[in-house]
């Protein structure tokens, strides 16, 4: 009698169905039901062959214990993307949409050893200087401003109108961006992650950050940029630019998704129907079940080896699936026992997220303030009509339509809505050269004017 276990069947709609090909983590099918894909991938064992984009292959770690082993073994697995063999040998298209988030940059994310320690320590020491009460006040007034733009309408896209913009505004405040520079930072980050003129947007972001570095060298302030400059690591201007671009870009997108995904949980799960008092719990459940960065932490084996029962070659691209590792059976007991923060949403090891406490603080403050101002907010469409943005790395909604009883302005400044953001993240009047330098004020300039009016 044949007792062999039947081969796993890919999820419906998966292009790998019946082909034996690598499992694609891009396209609407994966975005619609990633857990079905992770369940299928687990049949390969702790690691599985995946495709991040056409022509970009990787090995995805889906098991919690195996993920920890990789994340904590910095001798065997390196972060320096210059080791990426497929990219170096020309098998990865240089214009692939995933390359900007994987290619080497001179920052702590893509460094190892002593260099990583020096760059990361500058970040962790500077972020530790953030005053939590000041951060809460800044988050609340930014929340007030954003709500003032849509509150009187009684409806909003809580993703585009709130969750997407609030982290960018908070980061501009934290890093001491003046009006013109802040407008271009917002334009650059939004364009990079939305994939609209991404190359141009990246150039705008780096140009704006370079200007910020030059400004703070001559006029330091009470902000993260100045603290980084004053750190004993003595970062060069080039290192400053790459560190700041990492903090602004890699910080804003996951925080946007964390806000959006937690809002989704609060508005669609009956357990959180009374809103504010359960925000902490909803946030932790989101980090477990719907982490904002679902698959990332690129690593490269330092040499040919066997890992988790499979042979890997030096320079292979390996990613960790935080979402799959969090939802595996091995974690059920820990979560049931009350270890509610043993998930991998913040990664782990030497390269774990250096700013998880500020990110958590911003998220809780922003959501509490939103529910205080809009206590009867509810989803305006059926939950099953919501769509998720395609992509191998993020778990992010496309929109989150909501309705609520209209609220009057909070009493500060002109609350008339500014120009609507375009797909590239600039204002409708900010299209001179596509760099956020148009005749009308950008979003950050409008906010600063609102504060002083």
């Amino acid at each position: 009698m044949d007792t062999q276990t039947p081969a796993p069947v890919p999820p419906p709609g998966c292009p790998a169905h019946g082909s034996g090909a690598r499992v694609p983590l891009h396209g609407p099918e994966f975005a619609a039901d990633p857990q079905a894909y992770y369940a299928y991938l687990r049949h390969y064992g702790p690691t599985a062959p995946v495709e991040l984009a056409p022509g970009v292959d990787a090995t995805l770690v889906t098991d919690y214990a195996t993920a920890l082993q990789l994340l904590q073994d910095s001798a065997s697995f390196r972060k320096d993307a210059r080791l990426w063999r497929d990219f170096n040998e020309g098998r990865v298209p240089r214009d692939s949409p995933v390359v900007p988030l994987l290619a080497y940059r001179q920052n702590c994310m893509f460094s190892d050893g002593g260099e990583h320690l020096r760059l990361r320590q500058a970040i962790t020491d500077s972020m530790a200087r953030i005053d939590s009460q000041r951060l809460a006040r800044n988050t609340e007034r930014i929340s007030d401003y954003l709500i003032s733009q849509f509150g009187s309408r009684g409806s909003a896209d809580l993703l585009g109108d709130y969750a997407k913009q609030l982290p960018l505004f908070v980061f501009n405040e934290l890093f001491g961006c003046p009006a013109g520079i802040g407008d271009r930072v917002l334009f650059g980050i939004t364009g990079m992650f939305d994939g609209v003129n991404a190359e141009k947007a990246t150039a705008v972001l780096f140009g704006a950050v370079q200007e910020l570095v030059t400004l703070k060298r001559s006029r330091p302030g009470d902000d993260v940029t100045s603290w980084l400059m004053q750190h004993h690591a003595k970062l060069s201007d080039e290192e400053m630019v790459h560190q700041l671009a990492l903090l602004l870009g890699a910080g804003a997108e996951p925080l946007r998704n964390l806000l959006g995904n937690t809002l989704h949980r609060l508005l669609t799960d009956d357990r959180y129907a009374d809103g504010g008092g359960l925000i902490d719990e909803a946030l932790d459940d989101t980090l477990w079940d719907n982490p904002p960065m679902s698959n990332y932490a690129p690593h490269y084996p330092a040499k040919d080896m066997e890992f988790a029962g499979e042979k890997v070659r030096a320079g292979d691209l390996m990613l960790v699936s935080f979402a799959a590792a969090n939802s595996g059976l091995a974690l059920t007991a820990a979560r049931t026992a009350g270890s509610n923060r043993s998930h991998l949403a913040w990664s782990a090891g030497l390269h774990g997220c250096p700013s998880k406490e500020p990110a958590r603080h911003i998220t809780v403050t922003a959501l509490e303030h939103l529910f205080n101002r809009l206590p009867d907010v509810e989803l305006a469409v059926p939950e099953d009509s919501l769509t998720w943005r395609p992509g191998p790395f993020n778990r992010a909604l496309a929109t989150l339509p909501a309705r609520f009883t209209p609220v009057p302005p909070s009493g500060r400044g002109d609350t008339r809505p500014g120009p609507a953001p375009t797909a590239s993240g600039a204002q409708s009047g900010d299209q001179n050269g596509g760099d956020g330098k148009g005749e009308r004020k950008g979003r950050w300039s409008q906010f600063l004017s609102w504060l002083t009016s």
Side-chain angles (χ1 to χ4, degrees), residues 273-284:
D274 60 350
L278 295 173
I279 285 175
D280 259 318
E281 183 181 337
L283 174 57
D284 282 320

Side-chain angles (χ1 to χ4, degrees), residues 164-165 168 182-202 204-205 256 420-438 443:
K164 182 177 179 178
Q165 297 194 54
L168 296 172
D183 287 336
R184 279 176 283 145
V185 167
L186 265 64
F187 175 90
I189 292 174
T190 306
M192 281 176 62
F193 281 98
D194 285 355
V196 179
N197 294 325
E199 186 174 348
K200 176 76 173 183
T202 302
V204 170
L205 172 63
R256 155 193 175 171
T422 67
S424 65
Q427 299 298 327
S428 58
D430 284 349
Q431 297 303 306
N432 291 358
D435 60 0
K437 292 183 179 180
R443 285 174 289 162

Side-chain angles (χ1 to χ4, degrees), residues 132-152:
S132 60
Q133 291 184 340
R134 176 183 169 187
L135 181 60
R137 288 195 302 271
N138 289 342
T139 302
E140 286 178 1
R141 65 180 181 173
I142 289 166
S143 173
D144 264 336
Y145 170 71
L146 294 174
I147 293 171
S148 77
Q149 305 302 294
F150 60 76
S152 61

